């Protein structure tokens, strides 16, 4: 079993999925359970995950393409659409009083949990923010906005771990 630092080091955006391999249901269940456990403002969980497979996945993934973006997306056997749901009353009040977008923060945390667990399960992901909300809402029959699409699958064996290019800690952290 991987510890969290190993997961963080191993997780990368996959752009080269093995189209011949399906995702095992128990792995998908574990990934969704991890997202369910993510913390959120006032425990409101202002998001919904729509798991798309087969032709629905391909249609959603096609709706993430355009202007040269996300050409690889249709290789993934699963697309998870992350929709932004309304706030619970207490989080809505806090967002208004503090001028903070808690839903976006909560979606980010849940997606981090989801993608980390996918890595722990030996699967690969890519978080796509370039998408056609109107098309995806129609495809998935969604009432609320689609904010992200997560492609999910097994990476091809040739998709090796890339060196992470990150800022130095002294650029990211200050101690007062």
């Amino acid at each position: 079993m991987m510890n969290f630092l190993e997961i963080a080091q191993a997780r990368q955006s996959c752009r080269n999925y093995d189209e011949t391999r399906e995702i095992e249901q128990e792995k998908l269940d574990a990934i969704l359970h991890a997202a369910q456990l993510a913390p959120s403002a006032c425990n409101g969980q202002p998001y919904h995950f729509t798991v798309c497979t087969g032709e629905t996945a391909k249609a959603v993934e096609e709706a993430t393409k355009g202007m040269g973006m996300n050409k690889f997306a249709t290789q993934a056997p699963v697309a998870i659409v992350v929709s932004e749901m309304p706030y619970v009353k207490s989080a809505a009040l806090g967002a208004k009083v503090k001028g903070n977008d808690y839903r976006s923060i909560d979606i980010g945390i849940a997606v981090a949990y989801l993608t980390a667990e996918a890595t722990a399960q030996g699967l690969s992901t890519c978080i796509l923010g370039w998408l056609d909300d109107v098309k995806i809402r129609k495809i998935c029959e969604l009432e609320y906005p689609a904010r992200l699409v997560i492609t999910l699958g097994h990476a091809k064996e040739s998709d090796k771990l890339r060196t992470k290019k990150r800022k130095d800690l002294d650029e990211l952290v200050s101690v007062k």
Side-chain angles (χ1 to χ4, degrees), residues 18 24 42-43 45 58 77 85 97-98 118 130 132 170:
D18 183 345
E24 300 87 343
C42 304
N43 292 319
Q45 297 178 295
K58 297 303 176 215
M85 303 300 286
V97 170
K98 292 298 183 181
W130 182 278
D132 186 325
D170 60 352

Side-chain angles (χ1 to χ4, degrees), residues 66-151:
M67 296 181 65
M69 302 295 286
N70 304 325
K71 293 176 186 178
F72 63 91
T74 51
Q75 296 174 358
V78 172
I80 301 174
V81 177
V82 184
S83 302
E84 179 183 276
M85 303 300 286
Y87 282 119
V88 294
K89 289 180 182 177
S90 54
L93 177 62
K96 186 172 184 170
V97 170
K98 292 298 183 181
N100 220 342
D101 181 7
Y102 296 121
R103 286 181 294 201
S104 291
I105 295 166
D106 292 345
I107 287 170
I109 295 167
V111 168
Y113 273 50
L114 185 149
T115 57
E117 183 59 29
T119 300
Q121 293 291 329
L123 297 171
S124 295
T125 58
C126 192
I127 304 166
L128 309 177
W130 182 278
L131 54 87
D132 186 325
D133 173 56
V134 173
K135 284 183 183 176
I136 292 173
R137 286 170 78 169
K138 185 175 182 180
I139 293 164
C140 296
E141 301 175 357
L142 301 173
E143 180 179 356
Y144 295 102
R147 294 298 185 212
L148 296 171
V149 172
I150 314 303
T151 54

